[in-house]
Amino acid sequence: MAFQLKNTELALSTINKAIELQPSSLQWQLQKVNTLLLMLDKSAANDLALNLKNKQAANLAQCNDLAVMFNQLNDFEQAQYYYQQAVGFINEKKQPVESAQLYFNLASLARYQGNISLAETHLDHALSLNPHDYEAYWLRSSLKKQSQNNNHIDQLQQILKQGVKHPISKAQIHYALAKELEDIGKYSQCFEQLNFGAKSRRDCMRYQVEHDISTLKQITTTFTKEFFQQYQASNLTLKASNKAAPLENNEPIFILGLPRTGSTLVERIISNHQEVFNAGELNNFALCMMEAVKNVTKTPPQTRNELVELTSQIDFQALGKHYINSTRPETGHTRHFIDKLPLNSLYVGLIHLALPKAKIIHVTRHPLDTCFSIYKQLFTNGYPFSYQLTELAQYYIAHHNMMQHWLTVLPNIIHQVAYEDVVDDLSREAKKLIAYCDLDWQEQCIDFQNNSAPSTTASASQVREKVYRSSTGKWRQFEKELQPIKQLLVQAGIACD
C-alpha cells in the first residue's frame, strides 16, 4: 500500500522488515528493487538486482515483474531470460492471448538489440496466437522497409474493412498501413492513412497546444539574458568569498531538440568513442528538477507556468549533484556519458546553471522533414501536438523560438548540428562533434553502424545501418499535403525551401 501511495520511506522500511523475516524471498527482494527505483536510487537497485539474476521465478506474475524490472535497469538479456521463463509457464496453461503478449515483449527486446529478423519472427508468432494484437501489426511494419513483393498491405486493409473498435488500435493499423504504403511509393494513399490514424489518436486526447506554447514562452521570459548575468555575478561574489563554487563535473553530453531530427544518428557517432557511455533517454534531469522545486515551496505549483517560475529559485548546484548521482552506477566509468532525451531542450537554461561544464548538442533538420517525420510516428507516450497538422506547426514554431532564445542568451554554449550536414559529410561533422566534446578523434566514430549497444528509440530499427540520404527532402513527396504546415512556418519567418 505504501508503495502504491508512493510513500517511499514507509515502503522501504516495511520491505526491509519483510526481508529480515524472509531473507531468501525473491518477491521481497524484487519489491525492494522497485522501491529503490521509485526513489531514484538506481545504484542500490542495481546492486540488489545482481542477486536476482538467473533465478527461477515462482510463477508467471513473478516472471513478468522480474522482466519488467530488468528492462527498467536496461539489462535486456535478463529481461529476455525472464520473459522466456514466462513462456514456459504460459505454454503449460495454454493461454494464447497471454502467450502472444510475451512474444510481443520478446520482439521488442530483440528490436532494441538490433536483431530485426528475430523480432519479426516473434511478432509473427504473437499474431498467430492473437490476431487482435494491433500494436504487434504496427511494430512489425516499422521493423524494416517493405517491398512491392513482400508487405502486409492487403492484410492491414482487410483488418480495417472488418472494423476495429478501439481508437488506439485503429490508429495503430492506420499508421502501420501508412508506413508500408510509403515504403512502396504510394505517397497520397500513405498520407490519407496517416490522417485517419492521427485523427483516431487525437480524438482520444484532452490536449490544448496553447498550454504548451504558453509554457515555452514562460521559459524564455523567466530565463532571460539578465537572469543569467545576475546569477553569474552573484556566483562570482560567492566564489570570491569561498562560500560556493559551481559544479565542476563535465561528464554529461546532452543531445536534445525535437524528436525525429536525427539525434539518434548523432548519439551513435559520439557513443562509439571509447571514452563515452550511452546512457539513453534519461528522464532524470526533469525528476531531479521536480525534487528541487519541493525544497523551494511547501505548496505544489498549480500550473506549469508557476512551476517554471519556481525553477528559477532552486539550488542549481544541488540540482547538478543530484542529477549526476541519479545516473549512477550506469555512468561514471567513462569520461563522458550521453543523455539523449529530446525534451531536455526545455531545460537548457537549467542544465547550464546546474552543470556549467556539460556539453549541449542541439540537432536540427529541415523544418518540413522534421514535421512530417513527427507526424508519421505513432508515439507510445508524449508529444501530443504531433497528431494534428496545425497544432504540430504551432508547437514547432514555439519550440524554434525557444531554441533561438537559448542560442541568444547562452552564446557559444550550444553546439548546433544539422542532420542534412551529417549525412552529406559524415567525417567532417563527426570530427566537429568529437572536438566540441573535448575528445580526441577516433576513427570508429564514423563506423557507428557497428555499434552493438541497444537502442530503445523510435529509430531502433535503423541505428545499425550506414548513413543514407533517402530521408533528406522526403517532405517533397508530400508537399501538397504539408501546405497547412508550410504556410504557418513561413508566416513565422522559418525558411522551408
Side-chain angles (χ1 to χ4, degrees), residues 80-371:
Q80 184 177 18
Y81 172 84
Y82 281 108
Y83 278 134
Q84 287 173 335
Q85 219 180 92
V87 169
F89 282 108
I90 285 288
N91 287 342
E92 290 176 7
K93 297 182 179 180
K94 296 182 180 180
Q95 296 173 294
V97 174
E98 289 188 32
S99 185
Q101 182 59 51
L102 291 174
Y103 281 107
F104 178 90
N105 294 338
L106 285 167
S108 297
L109 291 173
R111 176 175 169 269
Y112 295 162
Q113 295 168 303
N115 194 336
I116 302 304
S117 178
L118 180 60
E120 189 170 24
T121 298
H122 283 320
L123 288 171
D124 285 339
H125 195 171
L127 288 167
S128 70
L129 292 166
N130 180 17
H132 300 295
D133 187 350
Y134 300 107
E135 188 177 3
Y137 291 108
W138 170 67
L139 183 60
R140 185 179 64 177
S141 293
S142 71
L143 288 176
K144 64 183 183 183
K145 186 173 182 177
Q146 310 296 317
S147 67
Q148 289 280 0
N149 300 322
N150 186 12
N151 59 68
H152 314 95
I153 291 173
D154 289 343
Q155 183 186 27
L156 294 168
Q157 288 175 332
Q158 188 60 35
I159 291 171
L160 288 172
K161 283 181 182 179
Q162 292 171 353
V164 182
K165 292 183 179 180
H166 195 282
I168 300 296
S169 299
K170 189 176 180 181
Q172 288 165 342
I173 300 301
H174 280 300
Y175 274 89
L177 183 53
K179 161 67 169 61
E180 301 208 11
L181 288 167
E182 183 187 0
D183 285 346
I184 65 170
K186 294 188 176 182
Y187 300 119
S188 60
Q189 294 178 43
C190 160
F191 209 88
E192 182 182 36
Q193 292 301 318
L194 280 178
N195 284 340
F196 288 142
K199 184 179 186 308
S200 185
R201 180 69 183 93
R202 181 66 180 84
D203 287 346
C204 298
M205 305 168 73
R206 295 178 62 186
Y207 170 71
Q208 290 180 287
V209 71
E210 293 81 11
H211 292 169
D212 274 345
I213 293 171
S214 176
T215 301
L216 297 183
K217 286 182 178 177
Q218 184 67 41
I219 289 170
T220 62
T221 56
T222 300
F223 294 95
T224 61
K225 185 176 182 179
E226 291 73 25
F227 178 90
F228 287 104
Q229 288 173 340
Q230 290 172 8
Y231 177 78
Q232 187 176 24
S234 63
N235 210 33
L236 287 172
T237 302
L238 288 170
K239 190 175 181 181
S241 62
N242 295 320
K243 289 184 178 180
L247 193 65
E248 295 296 317
N249 189 292
N250 67 348
E251 291 178 41
I253 300 172
F254 291 91
I255 301 175
L256 47 80
L258 286 169
R260 313 299 295 152
T261 54
S263 56
T264 301
L265 171 59
V266 171
E267 171 197 60
R268 302 300 275 196
I269 291 169
I270 300 173
S271 65
N272 231 27
H273 196 285
Q274 291 177 344
E275 296 185 67
V276 180
F277 170 70
N278 181 11
E281 295 189 355
L282 303 180
N283 199 33
N284 298 45
F285 194 87
L287 293 173
C288 292
M289 178 195 74
M290 294 301 296
E291 287 295 316
V293 167
K294 291 179 182 178
N295 295 325
V296 173
T297 176
K298 294 180 179 179
T299 306
Q302 300 301 305
T303 66
R304 285 188 290 178
N305 285 5
E306 187 181 338
L307 172 63
V308 173
E309 284 283 353
L310 287 170
T311 61
S312 68
Q313 304 169 32
I314 63 179
D315 183 334
F316 302 119
Q317 186 177 1
L319 171 60
K321 288 180 179 178
H322 188 192
Y323 168 77
I324 294 296
N325 291 336
S326 75
T327 68
R328 304 298 197 233
E330 282 83 0
T331 67
H333 54 85
T334 56
R335 185 174 164 190
H336 293 291
F337 69 88
I338 294 173
D339 182 340
K340 197 192 77 71
L341 187 70
L343 286 176
N344 277 332
S345 56
L346 303 177
Y347 316 122
V348 167
L350 288 170
I351 288 170
H352 181 63
L353 291 164
L355 297 157
K357 293 199 172 184
K359 301 299 182 182
I360 303 173
I361 298 170
H362 176 220
V363 187
T364 66
R365 189 179 180 185
H366 187 285
L368 292 175
D369 271 335
T370 298
C371 288

Side-chain angles (χ1 to χ4, degrees), residues 425-439:
D425 194 332
L426 173 61
S427 179
R428 179 190 66 197
E429 294 302 318
K431 286 176 181 176
K432 286 182 182 178
L433 286 164
I434 298 302
Y436 169 74
C437 295
D438 293 329
L439 293 165

